[in-house]
Amino acid sequence: MLFRSPRNFVAGMLAGLIGGVILGLVLRAQDTPGGILGGVELPAAGAGWAVHLLLSALLGFGFGAIFRYQPYSYATTVSSGLLYGLLWWMLGPLTLLPLLLGESPIWSLTDASSVFPSLIGSVLFGGMTGLSFYLLVTFSLRLRPPVTPVVAATRPTRRIVVLGGGFGGVAAAQRLEQLFAHDPDVDITLVSQSNYLLFTPMLAEVASSSLESQHISTPIRAALARAHFRHATVEAIDADARHVLIRARPSARVETLAYDHLIVALGSVPHYHDLPGLETHAFPLKTLHDGIRLRNHVISLLERADVEPDAAERRRQLTIVVAGGGFAGTETIAELFDLTRSVLRYYPHVLADEMRFVLVHSRDRILPELSADLAWYAQEKLQARGIEVRLNTRVSDATADAVSFNDGSHIPTYTLVWTAGNRAHPLMKTMPGERNRAGAVIVEPTLQVKGLTSIWAVGDSAQIPDLDNDGQPYPPTAQHAIRAGTTVAENVAAALRGTPLKPFAFRSIGMLVALGHRTAIAEVRGWKFSGLLAWVLWRAVYLSKLPGLEKKVRVALDWGIDLFFPRDIVLTMPPPVSPGSCIRSGHHEHQISGTHLVSHDAEEHSA
């Protein structure tokens, strides 16, 4: 891949030198002392310039190692440079320089104001480094374009097709690339309706405006080094003819994609249990679009409530109901609570005690996947913050302005978030083989669909038996989907090479749940954590699991900014013409034709 080429490192180093020279010249022209560290003198010649330029080159090398070159996207590269400069300011002038001088790091807003001029210099350096990096790589590519190896057309090709761009599908494709890295006779193709891999455990933070949506999503093309990627909807699977039908867009013609082995990892869609009004009026939280739409909906209601004269109507606008007390529902209501509390300063006519948050769960305690003491700790924390928890309660129906429950009660609200059920992708109904109640196909321990030798399934598309637990199915979690994706790739390779298959086996590492307000709970290999320590563990674990160093940097910056500033309330979508209309935009299409990921319910938040 281009972004792994040595030319990026060389271009990054040269770009850092250019950014350092420009910063030094600007500081000299203004007769301002300082350098890339914010406190190194820059005489016309001498050690000061040498240290400044050496550090600039090293930072440029780091930029080339972290960020990808993307053709025709100089604005994105410059923006990445600005973020890189901001990150360096936090690490260098605020942390490293004080430590080198024998002082304490500058980690408070009051102290940071004293070195604010160095922030301008760091951001200038980052922006110029990003721009120089883009221009240098572009010029280098024009002088020496990358050579694409030519594979002889007469060679027989064995075709492996992976359906789904979630954790399981991408893990399978990446492992297949490794296994067949030196075998040009094997063609690998991944098909997904979305062109990005979404890190779904952080989706609630997108809905609460804590993280930027693009920072928890990685382009699938960037995640694959050799496999072909098709951005398309899967229309049908023909097991007898060994091909799948795909469509690039609704108006495009249907294409036929043949396979020798097919890996199905289509994920799941929300399951509303045929309850009246839910599919029309509830917010799911499974895709990036769902998170963005929910965020804009909540902010729009705050805008309306701030000028609403009727107290009852304002109360309805300020009531949020989340159905489902698993991991996704618990984190979502905690994040939305933090969002509203963070931005209430901008809405002078909305009082904190007018906001109402209700978490509804059908069992006798929330978070049933965790031990009882951690679950009760979580419930007590939520209730202490003012969040209502209604147990042994089910949603019975929903309208545009109210939610009703099985006990006969109802809550006036325009916001119902649904995290209480998922089912396998509707395409799984057309698959041969036996299926479970959720619609997933039942597979052998080797991940082959029962009765078929060329079709395999993982993630929410499959019910996988746990041989170490009397054949009980594995939970459909992200950590299981990733490991199953790796195993299925190895078994497909074994089938092509005529070697024995191996059964899937994996033990869960742990579960983590964020409760908002710098609080969380965690259960890792039998060890239990709660409070601030669990919150730090939660962030550390998920930051480490984000794909790609670039995304880790961006999320870390978002989290750092969130510590000092309120959440962003900019509306990125037009307001709806009626309270429930924004809920429906595009939802049915996502349900029927999405090739999305693994389930975003409680289990996805496992370590």
Side-chain angles (χ1 to χ4, degrees), residues 167 197-204 216 285-287 331 478 597-600 604-605:
F167 291 117
L197 168 63
L198 177 64
F199 195 74
T200 43
M202 291 181 175
L203 191 55
I216 66 167
L285 194 59
K286 292 189 66 65
T287 70
E331 290 193 347
L597 310 181
V598 297
S599 168
H600 182 67
E604 275 197 351
H605 295 69

Side-chain angles (χ1 to χ4, degrees), residues 269-330:
V269 297
H271 184 24
Y272 299 104
H273 306 286
D274 298 323
L275 295 173
L278 259 69
E279 187 173 356
T280 305
H281 300 295
F283 283 91
L285 194 59
K286 292 189 66 65
T287 70
L288 207 55
H289 182 65
D290 292 339
I292 297 171
R293 191 169 70 246
L294 177 58
R295 169 196 176 275
N296 282 277
H297 172 79
V298 171
I299 295 173
S300 294
L301 289 177
L302 288 173
E303 296 286 350
R304 292 171 52 193
D306 193 53
V307 295
E308 176 59 55
D310 183 79
E313 175 63 14
R314 188 167 63 252
R315 181 78 170 175
R316 188 190 303 266
Q317 294 165 353
L318 298 176
T319 297
I320 295 175
V321 178
V322 176
F327 284 51
T330 301

